[in-house]
Amino acid sequence: MSMVAVNQAEEPKAGSRWILPLIVVLLVAAVAGYIAGAELDSIESRALEASNIVEKTWQHVRLVLVSTAVVIALGVPLGIVLSRRWARFVRPPVLLVANAGQAVPSVGILVLLAIAVGVGFRMAVVALVAYALLPILRNTIVGLQQVDPAVIDAARGMGMSPARLLWKVELPLAVPVMLAGIRVALILNVGVATLATFTNAGGLGDLIEGGIATNRMPVLAVGCALTIALALLVDWLAGTAERALSPKGI
Amino acid sequence: MSDSVATESMIRLVEVTKRYPNTPADAVRPLSMEIRRGEFVVFVGPSGCGKTTMLRMINRLIEPTAGQIWIDGRDVTHTDPDELRRHIGYVIQQVGLMPHMSVARNISLVPEMLGWDKRRTAARVDELLDLVGLEPGTFRARYPKQLSGGQQQRVGVARALAADPPLMLMDEPFGAIDPIARDRLQDEFLALQERIRKTIVFVTHDIDEALKLGDRIAIFAEGSRLAQFDTPREILSRPADDFVRSFIGERAAIRLLSVVTVGEVAGRAPATDRPGEALSAQPEEPVSAVLDRMLTQNRQILEVGGKRVLAQDLLFASTGDRQDPA
């Protein structure tokens, strides 16, 4: 049971916040320059056409966004429920299942799902959700549990109802840890979404897998570089959101 | 609580009991007690004596297993607990300010729940900050982590007073504050209580704090036995049993000097006609403070209310009615 991401330690200075997007820009520029300058055979140039790259990248982004939205919609409410005192007996089994979802290799889930249910975008999303559920679930639970008991005691002692306590106190105070979990899920999903190519769901995995299958190094390299650039970009965006959405005063 | 009958008694506990499931003994044995309006009552005792559990049963953060709780003439044993708590101030040792809310918002929480409008709440926040000695302009917008421990507890007290509850429950509120700041907070709190006259139930394990603050003190022994419930003066001069005697510790007679006033003692002491410069004091000053001044200024005679009394007569008159049950 790992994957409790807590961000506190590294609070980047204002200037260094722009290093990550700069790397992304340089990476994308290098890829574009390489494609423009390299001598490509017909397979390569077809794979590395601008329209194809944009399409694959968009498919990839869509997979990540949809699966993360689904996993947030599932994981956060489930985490809230599991963090309640009366749910403490169901917490271990649910976490066990979520843990298993992450322990099982995504390729395995994808292939099994493809055999059992079929291929396509939805199957890929299911696999990504299974994989990314744990960090969100766990961070929601931990985020809520780490709220200072004295704060909860004071809130109850002044007459806050349990619902009000949750909305006004517990959730706002859990937000930083929950956002850290969402950030981890997003980054995981950028990587794992490359496997969606095996269920015919597209994405940058098509370039990587196609590059390997046809033994075309340039295609493989471009697929990898763009996946890295996307992961870095997503991490930066999530980090920025984390800082903006965390309540002041904590 | 508007339908309550005005009554002398603010809190009436009737055989209130707490037993946790699967435990052999009561955490709080059946306890009956009456606390008068405007009274400052201190629960004191060793840890594990049930004093905090008892306090938390008054606002039903812990539900009693049996017994009745009457507040302000109303049986609140089974009413809506959230509604009940909004009308009872609650202060705890760890303060428990909401770290993500400014000082002003922390203080506004209860008024908000009671549906006060913004302007009234804002005015109340400033009034309360003034009351607890924090300059509103400086502190209103601060966050709890920008405050010292003492300042945080001042905000904690202000928050508890926000909706002007008739009753305050305080669980070791000054326990986590360094001794010098604690002493000052106690003094200020006593002065504050002079003005606002709340009914206060205050838990501490520190007998000195209890003697200093309480109008009456409830001393609990192990096993939640209420050993004595009386004024500091009675407890010091007539401890009910060995437990109380050992709990108030060695220097009970010396401690008594800070509980009795020179006014009442001088009445019992013989007048002197010895010449010499006298130190004059107000009748409501405690004997200990006056003696301290006499010692530092090297005066042997005290003049209070036109009567001149020798220091040694003052001393013996102070502790004269003290008796140890043999």
Side-chain angles (χ1 to χ4, degrees):
Chain A
M1 303 259 225
S2 58
M3 296 319 290
V4 175
V6 183
N7 60 329
Q8 322 303 19
E10 26 86 48
E11 194 48 44
K13 294 222 168 59
S16 63
R17 275 180 205 165
W18 299 101
I19 290 179
L20 218 50
L22 192 70
I23 293 174
V24 172
V25 169
L26 289 177
L27 209 54
V28 173
V31 167
Y34 170 75
I35 294 172
E39 290 199 7
L40 304 170
D41 63 25
S42 65
I43 295 178
E44 288 167 348
S45 56
R46 223 178 308 131
L48 296 181
E49 248 171 48
S51 64
N52 189 46
I53 288 179
V54 169
E55 190 198 335
K56 298 300 174 201
T57 308
W58 170 238
Q59 283 173 343
H60 205 95
V61 169
R62 216 160 70 98
L63 276 169
V64 171
L65 288 183
V66 171
S67 61
T68 307
V70 172
V71 85
I72 290 173
L74 283 177
V76 170
L78 189 59
I80 292 172
V81 168
L82 289 178
S83 73
R84 304 294 91 184
R85 240 179 75 82
W86 43 262
R88 64 189 180 281
F89 297 112
V90 284
R91 201 180 303 147
V94 176
L95 279 176
L96 206 70
V97 172
N99 218 14
Q102 201 179 37
V104 172
S106 314
V107 186
I109 298 187
L110 271 169
V111 173
L112 285 179
L113 274 172
I115 294 169
V117 199
V119 294
F121 181 78
R122 284 189 188 184
M123 288 312 108
V125 168
V126 170
L128 289 175
V129 166
Y131 195 65
L133 186 62
L134 185 68
I136 289 189
L137 192 61
R138 216 174 159 74
N139 274 42
T140 304
I141 296 172
V142 170
L144 289 168
Q145 282 176 338
Q146 50 94 53
V147 174
D148 183 357
V151 168
I152 294 176
D153 184 34
R156 290 222 305 132
M158 71 175 73
M160 275 198 196
S161 63
R164 197 182 181 91
L165 175 67
L166 180 67
W167 280 110
K168 295 261 175 177
V169 179
E170 295 183 87
L171 280 176
L173 291 177
V175 154
V177 181
M178 288 164 67
L179 286 175
I182 291 172
R183 184 174 174 182
V184 169
L186 270 168
I187 297 160
L188 282 176
N189 276 352
V190 172
V192 178
T194 54
L195 301 174
T197 182
F198 295 118
T199 70
N200 203 22
L204 290 169
D206 280 3
L207 294 182
I208 297 173
E209 165 57 15
I212 295 171
T214 58
N215 199 17
R216 291 300 189 281
M217 244 352 174
V219 182
L220 172 62
V222 167
C224 291
L226 287 179
T227 309
I228 292 169
L230 190 60
L232 291 176
L233 182 67
V234 163
D235 182 46
W236 178 73
L237 287 174
T240 307
E242 223 175 289
R243 272 189 300 281
L245 294 176
S246 289
K248 276 199 286 179
I250 57 174
Chain B
M1 300 205 173
S2 50
D3 57 337
S4 65
V5 200
T7 156
E8 259 302 284
S9 144
M10 176 52 96
I11 304 177
R12 195 154 66 87
L13 305 174
V14 186
E15 297 287 301
V16 173
T17 311
K18 181 66 192 181
R19 171 175 293 206
Y20 290 101
N22 309 319
T23 52
D26 290 336
V28 171
R29 293 203 291 203
L31 178 75
S32 296
M33 178 181 272
E34 203 155 330
I35 295 172
R36 292 189 288 269
R37 185 181 298 278
E39 198 174 21
F40 195 145
V41 168
V42 180
F43 289 181
V44 67
S47 57
C49 69
K51 55 190 192 296
T52 294
T53 309
M54 193 55 245
L55 182 86
R56 289 165 64 88
M57 282 198 285
I58 296 174
N59 68 357
R60 290 176 49 214
L61 280 171
I62 295 176
E63 290 285 358
T65 318
Q68 286 170 10
I69 300 160
W70 292 72
I71 293 180
D72 217 354
R74 226 162 53 102
D75 182 356
V76 297
T77 322
H78 302 289
T79 58
D80 173 11
D82 292 329
E83 180 58 28
L84 171 71
R85 291 179 202 134
R86 286 172 199 170
H87 299 278
I88 300 177
Y90 184 56
V91 183
I92 55 175
Q93 180 176 357
Q94 309 88 332
V95 192
L97 295 179
M98 312 295 144
H100 59 304
M101 296 181 187
S102 66
V103 165
R105 280 213 58 209
N106 265 287
I107 299 175
S108 314
L109 284 169
V110 176
E112 235 170 59
M113 286 188 276
L114 295 175
W116 289 24
D117 65 61
K118 284 222 165 69
R119 186 175 303 174
R120 184 181 173 203
T121 308
R124 181 66 178 155
V125 166
D126 287 0
E127 183 190 346
L128 284 163
L129 283 174
D130 269 330
L131 197 67
V132 297
L134 298 174
E135 210 281 301
T138 314
F139 288 96
R140 212 188 283 125
R142 290 218 183 150
Y143 283 92
K145 75 170 177 192
Q146 299 168 303
L147 307 178
S148 72
Q151 289 169 338
Q152 287 188 14
Q153 195 54 290
R154 284 165 195 266
V155 177
V157 170
R159 181 175 66 177
L161 286 168
D164 206 13
L167 169 61
M168 300 254 286
L169 305 179
M170 310 180 83
D171 189 358
E172 303 213 25
F174 309 136
I177 292 164
D178 70 88
I180 295 167
R182 185 194 308 152
D183 213 49
R184 209 177 57 224
L185 274 176
Q186 289 168 345
D187 291 337
E188 285 182 33
F189 189 66
L190 274 178
L192 179 63
Q193 167 65 355
E194 281 296 312
R195 291 165 60 189
I196 60 180
R197 277 285 153 211
K198 302 291 179 192
T199 308
I200 295 171
V201 184
F202 187 109
V203 163
T204 180
H205 61 261
D206 176 1
I207 184 68
D208 287 312
E209 187 171 55
L211 291 168
K212 178 174 177 181
L213 297 177
D215 295 329
R216 279 199 293 166
I217 299 173
I219 299 185
F220 288 90
E222 281 88 357
S224 76
R225 182 175 65 87
L226 180 57
Q228 191 167 6
F229 183 31
D230 217 325
T231 60
R233 191 185 163 150
E234 280 300 306
I235 283 172
L236 286 171
S237 49
R238 274 180 278 276
D241 59 18
D242 282 342
F243 174 80
V244 175
R245 201 169 317 115
S246 75
F247 195 74
I248 55 183
E250 294 294 298
R251 309 184 318 274
I254 296 288
R255 283 179 164 154
L256 195 53
L257 296 180
S258 49
V259 173
V260 290
T261 63
V262 286
E264 54 165 313
V265 172
R268 287 201 298 269
T272 180
D273 51 6
R274 193 191 290 187
E277 207 183 340
L279 180 115
S280 62
Q282 299 301 314
E284 67 274 8
E285 288 185 79
V287 172
S288 60
V290 172
L291 269 177
D292 189 67
R293 284 217 305 279
M294 293 176 79
L295 288 171
T296 48
Q297 296 176 28
N298 199 19
R299 305 281 168 81
Q300 296 182 7
I301 305 164
L302 166 74
E303 187 180 331
V304 57
K307 184 175 182 180
R308 288 163 65 89
V309 179
L310 281 176
Q312 73 176 68
D313 292 334
L314 182 75
L315 262 182
F316 285 105
S318 299
T319 57
D321 66 337
R322 186 169 168 271
Q323 35 183 262
D324 274 336

